[in-house]
mmCIF file of all heavy atoms in Angstrom:
data_model
loop_
_atom_site.group_PDB
_atom_site.id
_atom_site.type_symbol
_atom_site.label_atom_id
_atom_site.label_comp_id
_atom_site.label_asym_id
_atom_site.label_seq_id
_atom_site.Cartn_x
_atom_site.Cartn_y
_atom_site.Cartn_z
ATOM 1 N N ALA C 63 40.332 -20.078 -17.933
ATOM 2 C CA ALA C 63 39.565 -18.941 -17.426
ATOM 3 C C ALA C 63 39.748 -17.760 -18.363
ATOM 4 O O ALA C 63 40.809 -17.560 -18.946
ATOM 5 C CB ALA C 63 40.042 -18.574 -16.026
ATOM 6 N N ALA C 64 38.691 -16.956 -18.505
ATOM 7 C CA ALA C 64 38.753 -15.802 -19.392
ATOM 8 C C ALA C 64 39.755 -14.785 -18.862
ATOM 9 O O ALA C 64 39.836 -14.528 -17.670
ATOM 10 C CB ALA C 64 37.378 -15.163 -19.506
ATOM 11 N N THR C 65 40.523 -14.245 -19.775
ATOM 12 C CA THR C 65 41.469 -13.204 -19.400
ATOM 13 C C THR C 65 41.317 -12.043 -20.356
ATOM 14 O O THR C 65 40.804 -12.187 -21.461
ATOM 15 C CB THR C 65 42.916 -13.724 -19.460
ATOM 16 O OG1 THR C 65 43.176 -14.192 -20.791
ATOM 17 C CG2 THR C 65 43.129 -14.854 -18.465
ATOM 18 N N GLY C 66 41.788 -10.881 -19.959
ATOM 19 C CA GLY C 66 41.726 -9.713 -20.823
ATOM 20 C C GLY C 66 40.301 -9.357 -21.195
ATOM 21 O O GLY C 66 39.444 -9.222 -20.341
ATOM 22 N N ARG C 67 40.031 -9.277 -22.508
ATOM 23 C CA ARG C 67 38.729 -8.836 -22.982
ATOM 24 C C ARG C 67 37.820 -9.996 -23.367
ATOM 25 O O ARG C 67 36.748 -9.787 -23.938
ATOM 26 C CB ARG C 67 38.911 -7.900 -24.181
ATOM 27 C CG ARG C 67 39.745 -6.660 -23.854
ATOM 28 C CD ARG C 67 39.888 -5.772 -25.064
ATOM 29 N NE ARG C 67 38.605 -5.271 -25.527
ATOM 30 C CZ ARG C 67 38.003 -4.198 -25.015
ATOM 31 N NH1 ARG C 67 38.567 -3.539 -24.018
ATOM 32 N NH2 ARG C 67 36.850 -3.784 -25.492
ATOM 33 N N LYS C 68 38.228 -11.220 -23.089
ATOM 34 C CA LYS C 68 37.406 -12.372 -23.429
ATOM 35 C C LYS C 68 36.107 -12.345 -22.648
ATOM 36 O O LYS C 68 36.104 -12.205 -21.433
ATOM 37 C CB LYS C 68 38.164 -13.668 -23.148
ATOM 38 C CG LYS C 68 37.438 -14.913 -23.661
ATOM 39 C CD LYS C 68 38.309 -16.144 -23.500
ATOM 40 C CE LYS C 68 37.614 -17.389 -24.030
ATOM 41 N NZ LYS C 68 38.444 -18.591 -23.868
ATOM 42 N N LYS C 69 34.977 -12.502 -23.349
ATOM 43 C CA LYS C 69 33.675 -12.336 -22.705
ATOM 44 C C LYS C 69 32.900 -13.640 -22.534
ATOM 45 O O LYS C 69 31.920 -13.678 -21.812
ATOM 46 C CB LYS C 69 32.822 -11.363 -23.526
ATOM 47 C CG LYS C 69 33.424 -9.970 -23.660
ATOM 48 C CD LYS C 69 33.455 -9.244 -22.337
ATOM 49 C CE LYS C 69 34.039 -7.846 -22.489
ATOM 50 N NZ LYS C 69 33.184 -6.944 -23.274
ATOM 51 N N THR C 70 33.280 -14.714 -23.257
ATOM 52 C CA THR C 70 32.537 -15.961 -23.177
ATOM 53 C C THR C 70 33.481 -17.149 -23.022
ATOM 54 O O THR C 70 34.669 -17.066 -23.333
ATOM 55 C CB THR C 70 31.675 -16.195 -24.434
ATOM 56 O OG1 THR C 70 32.524 -16.345 -25.578
ATOM 57 C CG2 THR C 70 30.711 -15.047 -24.650
ATOM 58 N N VAL C 71 32.910 -18.261 -22.538
ATOM 59 C CA VAL C 71 33.648 -19.510 -22.425
ATOM 60 C C VAL C 71 32.638 -20.637 -22.626
ATOM 61 O O VAL C 71 31.451 -20.478 -22.313
ATOM 62 C CB VAL C 71 34.346 -19.611 -21.042
ATOM 63 C CG1 VAL C 71 33.321 -19.676 -19.916
ATOM 64 C CG2 VAL C 71 35.285 -20.797 -20.990
ATOM 65 N N ARG C 72 33.064 -21.766 -23.180
ATOM 66 C CA ARG C 72 32.191 -22.918 -23.377
ATOM 67 C C ARG C 72 32.475 -23.939 -22.281
ATOM 68 O O ARG C 72 33.603 -24.423 -22.135
ATOM 69 C CB ARG C 72 32.429 -23.559 -24.741
ATOM 70 C CG ARG C 72 31.974 -22.706 -25.912
ATOM 71 C CD ARG C 72 30.489 -22.798 -26.158
ATOM 72 N NE ARG C 72 30.098 -24.099 -26.705
ATOM 73 C CZ ARG C 72 28.833 -24.403 -27.000
ATOM 74 N NH1 ARG C 72 27.858 -23.532 -26.800
ATOM 75 N NH2 ARG C 72 28.531 -25.595 -27.487
ATOM 76 N N LEU C 73 31.447 -24.265 -21.513
ATOM 77 C CA LEU C 73 31.566 -25.241 -20.431
ATOM 78 C C LEU C 73 30.471 -26.284 -20.590
ATOM 79 O O LEU C 73 29.280 -25.935 -20.595
ATOM 80 C CB LEU C 73 31.449 -24.554 -19.065
ATOM 81 C CG LEU C 73 32.504 -23.483 -18.743
ATOM 82 C CD1 LEU C 73 32.176 -22.804 -17.419
ATOM 83 C CD2 LEU C 73 33.903 -24.087 -18.715
ATOM 84 N N ASP C 74 30.842 -27.544 -20.729
ATOM 85 C CA ASP C 74 29.889 -28.635 -20.932
ATOM 86 C C ASP C 74 28.942 -28.339 -22.096
ATOM 87 O O ASP C 74 27.745 -28.621 -22.028
ATOM 88 C CB ASP C 74 29.090 -28.908 -19.651
ATOM 89 C CG ASP C 74 28.282 -30.197 -19.746
ATOM 90 O OD1 ASP C 74 28.709 -31.124 -20.456
ATOM 91 O OD2 ASP C 74 27.196 -30.259 -19.115
ATOM 92 N N GLY C 75 29.473 -27.729 -23.147
ATOM 93 C CA GLY C 75 28.667 -27.462 -24.330
ATOM 94 C C GLY C 75 27.759 -26.251 -24.220
ATOM 95 O O GLY C 75 26.997 -25.963 -25.141
ATOM 96 N N VAL C 76 27.836 -25.521 -23.114
ATOM 97 C CA VAL C 76 26.994 -24.352 -22.891
ATOM 98 C C VAL C 76 27.855 -23.091 -22.974
ATOM 99 O O VAL C 76 28.922 -23.022 -22.358
ATOM 100 C CB VAL C 76 26.293 -24.419 -21.516
ATOM 101 C CG1 VAL C 76 25.466 -23.160 -21.264
ATOM 102 C CG2 VAL C 76 25.424 -25.670 -21.425
ATOM 103 N N THR C 77 27.387 -22.099 -23.711
ATOM 104 C CA THR C 77 28.091 -20.826 -23.790
ATOM 105 C C THR C 77 27.793 -20.005 -22.547
ATOM 106 O O THR C 77 26.631 -19.736 -22.244
ATOM 107 C CB THR C 77 27.680 -20.036 -25.040
ATOM 108 O OG1 THR C 77 28.037 -20.788 -26.208
ATOM 109 C CG2 THR C 77 28.373 -18.677 -25.085
ATOM 110 N N VAL C 78 28.835 -19.617 -21.835
ATOM 111 C CA VAL C 78 28.698 -18.824 -20.617
ATOM 112 C C VAL C 78 29.196 -17.410 -20.919
ATOM 113 O O VAL C 78 30.353 -17.221 -21.298
ATOM 114 C CB VAL C 78 29.522 -19.419 -19.458
ATOM 115 C CG1 VAL C 78 29.308 -18.618 -18.177
ATOM 116 C CG2 VAL C 78 29.174 -20.895 -19.254
ATOM 117 N N ARG C 79 28.325 -16.434 -20.769
ATOM 118 C CA ARG C 79 28.709 -15.033 -20.975
ATOM 119 C C ARG C 79 29.181 -14.471 -19.628
ATOM 120 O O ARG C 79 28.387 -14.309 -18.711
ATOM 121 C CB ARG C 79 27.538 -14.235 -21.537
ATOM 122 C CG ARG C 79 27.096 -14.729 -22.899
ATOM 123 C CD ARG C 79 26.110 -13.805 -23.586
ATOM 124 N NE ARG C 79 25.761 -14.321 -24.893
ATOM 125 C CZ ARG C 79 26.488 -14.176 -25.990
ATOM 126 N NH1 ARG C 79 27.644 -13.514 -25.915
ATOM 127 N NH2 ARG C 79 26.097 -14.675 -27.144
ATOM 128 N N LEU C 80 30.459 -14.225 -19.558
ATOM 129 C CA LEU C 80 31.074 -13.855 -18.295
ATOM 130 C C LEU C 80 30.865 -12.395 -17.940
ATOM 131 O O LEU C 80 30.838 -11.524 -18.798
ATOM 132 C CB LEU C 80 32.568 -14.150 -18.350
ATOM 133 C CG LEU C 80 32.943 -15.610 -18.673
ATOM 134 C CD1 LEU C 80 34.413 -15.713 -18.968
ATOM 135 C CD2 LEU C 80 32.539 -16.528 -17.533
ATOM 136 N N ARG C 81 30.719 -12.138 -16.638
ATOM 137 C CA ARG C 81 30.755 -10.786 -16.115
ATOM 138 C C ARG C 81 32.191 -10.499 -15.696
ATOM 139 O O ARG C 81 33.018 -11.397 -15.644
ATOM 140 C CB ARG C 81 29.838 -10.648 -14.901
ATOM 141 C CG ARG C 81 28.373 -10.322 -15.210
ATOM 142 C CD ARG C 81 27.743 -11.223 -16.211
ATOM 143 N NE ARG C 81 26.304 -10.967 -16.349
ATOM 144 C CZ ARG C 81 25.518 -11.629 -17.183
ATOM 145 N NH1 ARG C 81 26.016 -12.568 -17.961
ATOM 146 N NH2 ARG C 81 24.224 -11.336 -17.238
ATOM 147 N N ARG C 82 32.467 -9.258 -15.409
ATOM 148 C CA ARG C 82 33.817 -8.909 -14.970
ATOM 149 C C ARG C 82 34.149 -9.655 -13.674
ATOM 150 O O ARG C 82 33.369 -9.644 -12.722
ATOM 151 C CB ARG C 82 33.912 -7.402 -14.749
ATOM 152 C CG ARG C 82 35.318 -6.912 -14.383
ATOM 153 C CD ARG C 82 35.328 -5.400 -14.250
ATOM 154 N NE ARG C 82 36.644 -4.907 -13.891
ATOM 155 C CZ ARG C 82 37.620 -4.657 -14.757
ATOM 156 N NH1 ARG C 82 37.405 -4.862 -16.055
ATOM 157 N NH2 ARG C 82 38.785 -4.211 -14.364
ATOM 158 N N ASN C 83 35.258 -10.353 -13.651
ATOM 159 C CA ASN C 83 35.747 -11.084 -12.478
ATOM 160 C C ASN C 83 34.921 -12.315 -12.112
ATOM 161 O O ASN C 83 35.018 -12.809 -10.984
ATOM 162 C CB ASN C 83 35.838 -10.160 -11.257
ATOM 163 C CG ASN C 83 36.840 -9.044 -11.458
ATOM 164 O OD1 ASN C 83 37.891 -9.257 -12.064
ATOM 165 N ND2 ASN C 83 36.519 -7.851 -10.964
ATOM 166 N N THR C 84 34.138 -12.848 -13.045
ATOM 167 C CA THR C 84 33.395 -14.079 -12.767
ATOM 168 C C THR C 84 34.356 -15.244 -12.579
ATOM 169 O O THR C 84 35.195 -15.515 -13.453
ATOM 170 C CB THR C 84 32.418 -14.402 -13.914
ATOM 171 O OG1 THR C 84 31.365 -13.433 -13.933
ATOM 172 C CG2 THR C 84 31.809 -15.786 -13.727
ATOM 173 N N ARG C 85 34.217 -15.931 -11.438
ATOM 174 C CA ARG C 85 35.064 -17.083 -11.127
ATOM 175 C C ARG C 85 34.242 -18.278 -10.660
ATOM 176 O O ARG C 85 34.792 -19.294 -10.239
ATOM 177 C CB ARG C 85 36.106 -16.705 -10.049
ATOM 178 C CG ARG C 85 37.170 -15.713 -10.550
ATOM 179 C CD ARG C 85 38.039 -16.342 -11.624
ATOM 180 N NE ARG C 85 39.083 -15.469 -12.120
ATOM 181 C CZ ARG C 85 38.948 -14.655 -13.162
ATOM 182 N NH1 ARG C 85 37.783 -14.608 -13.813
ATOM 183 N NH2 ARG C 85 39.949 -13.894 -13.578
ATOM 184 N N GLN C 86 32.920 -18.163 -10.706
ATOM 185 C CA GLN C 86 32.023 -19.277 -10.398
ATOM 186 C C GLN C 86 30.895 -19.284 -11.424
ATOM 187 O O GLN C 86 30.436 -18.218 -11.861
ATOM 188 C CB GLN C 86 31.418 -19.137 -8.994
ATOM 189 C CG GLN C 86 32.407 -19.307 -7.860
ATOM 190 C CD GLN C 86 31.722 -19.212 -6.496
ATOM 191 O OE1 GLN C 86 30.680 -18.585 -6.348
ATOM 192 N NE2 GLN C 86 32.330 -19.825 -5.502
ATOM 193 N N ALA C 87 30.464 -20.475 -11.816
ATOM 194 C CA ALA C 87 29.372 -20.574 -12.791
ATOM 195 C C ALA C 87 28.608 -21.872 -12.589
ATOM 196 O O ALA C 87 29.172 -22.883 -12.146
ATOM 197 C CB ALA C 87 29.924 -20.506 -14.213
ATOM 198 N N VAL C 88 27.328 -21.831 -12.928
ATOM 199 C CA VAL C 88 26.482 -23.023 -12.984
ATOM 200 C C VAL C 88 26.026 -23.159 -14.431
ATOM 201 O O VAL C 88 25.523 -22.196 -15.020
ATOM 202 C CB VAL C 88 25.258 -22.901 -12.065
ATOM 203 C CG1 VAL C 88 24.329 -24.111 -12.244
ATOM 204 C CG2 VAL C 88 25.690 -22.776 -10.607
ATOM 205 N N THR C 89 26.243 -24.329 -15.031
ATOM 206 C CA THR C 89 25.738 -24.564 -16.384
ATOM 207 C C THR C 89 24.562 -25.522 -16.343
ATOM 208 O O THR C 89 24.519 -26.442 -15.518
ATOM 209 C CB THR C 89 26.822 -25.136 -17.316
ATOM 210 O OG1 THR C 89 27.370 -26.342 -16.748
ATOM 211 C CG2 THR C 89 27.936 -24.118 -17.533
ATOM 212 N N VAL C 90 23.615 -25.285 -17.239
ATOM 213 C CA VAL C 90 22.401 -26.098 -17.328
ATOM 214 C C VAL C 90 22.292 -26.572 -18.772
ATOM 215 O O VAL C 90 22.017 -25.780 -19.678
ATOM 216 C CB VAL C 90 21.153 -25.283 -16.933
ATOM 217 C CG1 VAL C 90 19.907 -26.161 -16.966
ATOM 218 C CG2 VAL C 90 21.343 -24.639 -15.566
ATOM 219 N N ASN C 91 22.529 -27.857 -18.995
ATOM 220 C CA ASN C 91 22.531 -28.425 -20.335
ATOM 221 C C ASN C 91 21.356 -29.389 -20.458
ATOM 222 O O ASN C 91 21.352 -30.465 -19.867
ATOM 223 C CB ASN C 91 23.862 -29.154 -20.594
ATOM 224 C CG ASN C 91 24.036 -29.556 -22.038
ATOM 225 O OD1 ASN C 91 23.086 -29.863 -22.732
ATOM 226 N ND2 ASN C 91 25.283 -29.584 -22.487
ATOM 227 N N ARG C 92 20.369 -28.991 -21.236
ATOM 228 C CA ARG C 92 19.179 -29.837 -21.401
ATOM 229 C C ARG C 92 19.576 -31.156 -22.052
ATOM 230 O O ARG C 92 20.311 -31.186 -23.043
ATOM 231 C CB ARG C 92 18.154 -29.122 -22.274
ATOM 232 C CG ARG C 92 16.899 -29.933 -22.527
ATOM 233 C CD ARG C 92 15.981 -29.203 -23.489
ATOM 234 N NE ARG C 92 14.739 -29.919 -23.718
ATOM 235 C CZ ARG C 92 13.788 -29.520 -24.549
ATOM 236 N NH1 ARG C 92 13.946 -28.383 -25.227
ATOM 237 N NH2 ARG C 92 12.682 -30.210 -24.710
ATOM 238 N N THR C 93 19.079 -32.282 -21.489
ATOM 239 C CA THR C 93 19.416 -33.593 -22.021
ATOM 240 C C THR C 93 18.241 -34.233 -22.760
ATOM 241 O O THR C 93 18.390 -34.773 -23.839
ATOM 242 C CB THR C 93 19.886 -34.527 -20.886
ATOM 243 O OG1 THR C 93 18.902 -34.538 -19.829
ATOM 244 C CG2 THR C 93 21.226 -34.045 -20.317
#
Side-chain angles (χ1 to χ4, degrees):
T65 58
R67 301 180 62 84
K68 188 173 181 181
K69 299 293 181 68
T70 64
V71 65
R72 291 280 289 180
L73 300 175
D74 191 30
V76 177
T77 298
V78 183
R79 297 190 178 279
L80 303 169
R81 274 51 173 179
R82 184 177 179 85
N83 297 322
T84 291
R85 291 294 181 269
Q86 291 182 334
V88 175
T89 56
V90 183
N91 190 327
R92 179 184 182 182
T93 53

